[in-house]
Amino acid sequence: VQLQASGGGLAQAGGSLNLSCQARGSRFGINNMAWHRQAPGSQRELVAGISSGGDTNYTDSVKGRFTISRDNTGNTINLQMSTLKPEDTAVYYCNAEFRRFPRDPAGYAAWGQGTLVTVSS
């Protein structure tokens, strides 16, 4: 199983960036997918998540600014980030729960490589 993240880079405060993450190697589908981030000196935190059914959740600090979406195949998620703030600067990681067998309620958690987002003030 593999997760390939893309996007990120440098943006000015108030600007926008988009992250994408594609999952490969799924035999039985994927349950939840999510974006996490880790700023220097901080613990990794959940930013936004989306279930296989399309239910979403966000950490409070990004609500109204970030939007997570998932394509029809269920294997790719995007994170549209707008009204960026310097405190959004972090390495962003995508995460997915690959089903180990049909209707696996838990799945095997896999992580993509991080992609750096830097927001300048």
Side-chain angles (χ1 to χ4, degrees):
V1 295
Q2 185 180 18
L3 293 172
Q4 183 67 45
S6 61
L10 177 65
Q12 290 188 332
S16 300
L17 285 173
N18 186 69
L19 304 181
S20 183
C21 178
Q22 183 178 28
R24 295 189 176 96
S26 169
R27 287 190 61 194
F28 303 110
I30 300 171
N31 291 334
N32 299 321
M33 298 183 76
W35 286 99
H36 299 246
R37 67 185 178 188
Q38 187 168 18
S42 299
Q43 290 188 332
R44 190 174 297 188
E45 65 169 348
L46 174 67
V47 176
I50 187 165
S51 71
S52 57
D55 294 326
T56 60
N57 62 286
Y58 299 89
T59 191
D60 286 346
S61 63
V62 307
K63 285 180 180 177
R65 300 189 299 119
F66 290 11
T67 301
I68 189 170
S69 61
R70 192 164 175 174
D71 75 348
N72 290 336
T73 70
N75 293 333
T76 299
I77 57 171
N78 294 290
L79 185 68
Q80 180 63 42
M81 304 182 291
S82 60
T83 321
L84 284 163
K85 303 176 180 180
E87 50 264 43
D88 294 319
T89 295
V91 177
Y92 284 69
Y93 299 89
C94 63
N95 163 259
E97 297 170 356
F98 289 81
R99 296 187 190 118
R100 297 159 295 180
F101 47 85
R103 294 183 293 278
D104 179 1
Y108 165 78
W111 292 86
Q113 88 284 9
T115 184
L116 178 63
V117 171
T118 303
V119 183
S120 62
S121 58

